[in-house]
Amino acid sequence: MLDVGKWPVFALLPPEELRLIRQACVFGSAANEALYVTVNDEVFALGTNCSGCLGLGDVQSTIEARRIDVLCGKKIVSLSYGTGPHVVIATADGEVYAWGHNGYSQLGNGTTNHGLTPALVSTNLLNKRVTEVACGSHHTIALTTDGEVYAWGYNNSGQVGSGSTANQPTPRRVSSCLQNKVVVNIACGQLCSMAVLDNGEVYGWGYNCNGQLGLGNNGNQQTPCRIAALQGITIVQVACGYAHTLAVTDEGLIYAWGANSYGQLGTGNKSNQAVPTLINMEKERMVEVAACHTSHTSAAKTQSGQVYMWGQCRVQAVAGPHLTHFSATDDVFACFATPAVTWRLLAVDGDDYLTVAQSLKREFDSPEISDLKFLVDGKYIHVHKALLKIRCEHFRDLLNETDEDSIEIHQFSYLVYRAFLEYLYTDTINLPPEDAIGLLDLATYYRETRLKRLCQETIKRGISEDNAITLLSAAVKYEARVRLHSQQTY
């Protein structure tokens, strides 16, 4: 469960106010500014208010949260900020609002006057619906429902993609190589921009002296350029640090490139990389990468919910992925980034609004109130006897015959057995197709018909050229085990 209390700027808010927060963002050069949205869709700000970045109509700092009236009820879907700082949001209606520092026209209103209150960014966007925004140090890019990218602001290195280095005072479509292509994800480094296409290709433009565009050279790019080294690799998400870039593939692999003086690429050394480099994540399937243009910190989350971090972590340089106890990549930035800002708009689930299903999911493998633990491959999994009895006939029989509070399992791996127990809490399985074979074996052994069907669907959906032989081999072994189990049963 995300806890905004991990960010010191929220420490002065009363507990009853903290409980109402549903979205939040911490930003600024000292992580001393914050915006948050309540369950009633009201928007508040507090902090030092540099350049009017709190949107309150003045430049007065405040330790008490003040409401931003113009944003209340707007339903924010995306938020990003620069180092000025300036703040940009996209609403559920597809509108873009911006405010704060504007010395380089990063607010997109055609002037260089700071914006003390949120103002609609309208030029060239009036008939567009924006779904995502991203800010570099002093520039902004926006993604529309049509897959178009618009950019404005500081352009000393070509980061607005216009073909020149003149600052861009109002939103302008980034065309060139992207003219007839559909973009699905955007990100900004300090002075560069990245875009992921619907076909998994990645394009970069802007500052490149650390190789953060992944093009194999260190020359700046004034228009989008495709990363040729990722040919044949399908990227689904990118994230940019100050001068490095992370990307996750549809197969759960991570590639990294750019600056590496703090080990932020995760390669095990501190050498910059001008081309995408595959990071060793010990065969874990990754689903999210995280970085922020204000820091040199990197993080990633696995399909099973584990969080890794590397790069500049407080005063240490961590050169390879390090497993944490966190459950969200956001926590890495709260506790270890400098400054300790949020890398994206936080979404906070409220304790008072959890459904039964959400409550059960939250308590899986949580030692606090569990009354039973399984020991598998030397690791414990914490569960609740009552739920296991309700959900599984095998456990009903087993637990009625024993009052042990610890049971050791030998015939299945930790990964498979944990996925099985998690299924009993969530009705879903969270495994790559190669491991779903083992869960299918378990489902057959325990006569869990629905689980068998879910495993079969996962395996079918996951078959690709790369893993077909592995899956076929595993399936042959699985059939042999099923026959052996059948003989034992009868």
Side-chain angles (χ1 to χ4, degrees):
M1 181 71 63
L2 277 175
D3 174 16
V4 295
K6 287 189 173 78
W7 282 268
V9 70
F10 286 113
L12 290 174
L13 285 185
E16 59 270 20
E17 183 70 11
L18 286 174
R19 282 195 290 269
L20 294 175
I21 294 176
R22 292 298 172 266
Q23 292 173 298
C25 175
V26 177
F27 58 101
S29 59
N32 273 347
E33 278 126 350
L35 298 167
Y36 65 89
V37 184
T38 69
V39 67
N40 300 319
D41 225 18
E42 292 186 309
V43 184
F44 291 85
L46 72 159
T48 48
N49 205 13
C50 294
S51 305
C53 66
L54 296 184
L56 298 169
D58 55 46
V59 291
Q60 300 299 311
S61 64
T62 174
I63 59 173
E64 293 184 355
R66 292 168 54 191
R67 192 169 62 187
I68 309 174
D69 292 328
V70 69
L71 294 183
C72 292
K74 288 291 182 186
K75 296 194 184 302
I76 299 172
V77 296
S78 180
L79 182 152
S80 191
Y81 54 83
T83 51
H86 73 290
V87 182
V88 185
I89 66 163
T91 71
D93 292 331
E95 293 180 330
V96 177
Y97 287 81
W99 62 96
H101 193 281
N102 196 35
Y104 301 92
S105 299
Q106 60 263 49
L107 300 187
N109 60 18
T111 78
T112 53
N113 303 321
H114 297 337
L116 300 185
T117 56
L120 185 67
V121 183
S122 56
T123 304
N124 296 328
L125 293 178
L126 273 179
N127 297 315
K128 302 291 181 181
R129 289 177 63 91
V130 170
T131 58
E132 187 179 358
V133 290
C135 297
S137 63
H138 299 92
H139 77 287
T140 308
I141 63 177
L143 175 63
T144 72
T145 52
D146 300 325
E148 298 174 347
V149 178
Y150 286 77
W152 59 96
Y154 195 35
N155 193 35
N156 68 327
S157 304
Q159 58 264 47
V160 301
S162 61
S164 76
T165 53
N167 292 346
Q168 179 62 37
T170 55
R172 175 194 169 279
R173 181 160 178 218
V174 181
S175 50
S176 183
C177 298
L178 298 182
Q179 182 67 47
N180 298 310
K181 295 180 170 59
V182 176
V183 174
V184 294
N185 176 229
I186 55 174
C188 288
Q190 191 78 349
L191 295 166
C192 71
S193 306
M194 306 292 299
V196 180
L197 303 192
D198 59 351
N199 64 2
E201 292 180 348
V202 183
Y203 284 73
W205 60 99
Y207 190 76
N208 192 37
C209 288
N210 297 287
Q212 56 261 62
L213 299 186
L215 304 175
N217 59 55
N218 295 108
N220 295 348
Q221 295 291 324
Q222 296 176 9
T223 55
C225 189
R226 183 174 67 85
I227 301 180
L230 292 174
Q231 177 76 37
I233 298 168
T234 302
I235 300 298
V236 294
Q237 185 224 339
V238 293
C240 294
Y242 186 96
H244 76 288
T245 307
L246 306 172
V248 62
T249 75
D250 61 340
E251 295 180 341
L253 303 174
I254 290 180
Y255 286 84
W257 58 94
N260 198 28
S261 54
Y262 296 92
Q264 59 264 50
L265 298 186
T267 55
N269 59 51
K270 296 182 183 178
S271 302
N272 291 3
Q273 297 290 333
V275 293
T277 303
L278 182 63
I279 307 307
N280 178 19
M281 300 302 295
E282 298 180 341
K283 297 185 179 178
E284 291 278 11
R285 193 180 185 92
M286 314 309 291
V287 294
E288 178 181 272
V289 285
C292 179
H293 78 265
T294 60
S295 71
H296 310 289
T297 306
S298 302
K301 188 173 184 176
T302 72
Q303 191 173 46
S304 63
Q306 293 181 310
V307 173
Y308 287 79
M309 72 177 186
W310 61 97
Q312 188 178 25
C313 299
R314 294 279 184 168
V315 294
Q316 294 190 57
V318 180
H322 179 82
L323 180 61
T324 72
H325 65 272
F326 299 132
S327 58
T329 54
D330 309 278
D331 294 338
V332 170
F333 293 84
C335 300
F336 287 95
T338 306
V341 296
T342 51
W343 76 274
R344 60 177 172 186
L345 181 64
L346 287 177
V348 184
D349 289 327
D351 287 348
D352 300 336
Y353 299 89
L354 292 180
T355 64
V356 172
Q358 288 169 330
S359 299
L360 292 177
K361 183 177 182 179
R362 179 183 171 186
E363 292 303 327
F364 171 65
D365 202 11
S366 174
E368 282 81 5
I369 61 170
S370 68
D371 56 1
L372 175 66
K373 55 189 178 183
F374 287 95
L375 179 62
V376 192
D377 296 342
K379 291 182 274 191
Y380 283 111
I381 309 166
H382 298 85
V383 292
H384 306 78
K385 292 179 181 177
L387 185 137
L388 265 54
K389 287 181 181 181
I390 291 168
R391 293 281 287 148
C392 178
E393 193 173 331
H394 165 79
F395 286 126
R396 190 176 310 162
D397 296 338
L398 175 68
L399 297 175
N400 281 337
E401 295 172 3
T402 179
D403 58 357
E404 296 287 329
D405 58 8
S406 181
I407 298 174
E408 195 165 353
I409 299 295
H410 299 286
Q411 63 266 53
F412 299 105
S413 71
Y414 171 81
L415 192 67
V416 165
Y417 212 75
R418 190 180 194 280
F420 168 50
L421 294 173
E422 188 174 12
Y423 159 76
L424 297 179
Y425 279 71
T426 64
D427 267 334
T428 59
I429 61 173
N430 211 354
L431 278 178
E434 295 84 353
D435 295 310
I437 289 279
L439 189 56
L440 181 59
D441 186 17
L442 182 151
T444 304
Y445 187 57
Y446 285 168
R447 299 182 179 180
E448 288 286 335
T449 307
R450 182 176 180 275
L451 180 57
K452 281 176 63 176
R453 193 164 63 248
L454 284 176
C455 291
Q456 289 163 347
E457 289 171 3
T458 299
I459 294 163
K460 284 178 187 174
R461 282 200 309 269
I463 293 175
S464 66
E465 285 184 18
D466 296 331
N467 67 13
I469 293 174
T470 305
L471 287 178
L472 179 61
S473 172
V476 170
K477 289 180 184 175
Y478 159 71
E479 287 293 343
R481 284 199 301 271
V482 170
R483 281 196 294 272
L484 180 60
H485 288 323
S486 299
Q487 289 165 6
Q488 289 172 340
T489 305
Y490 299 104

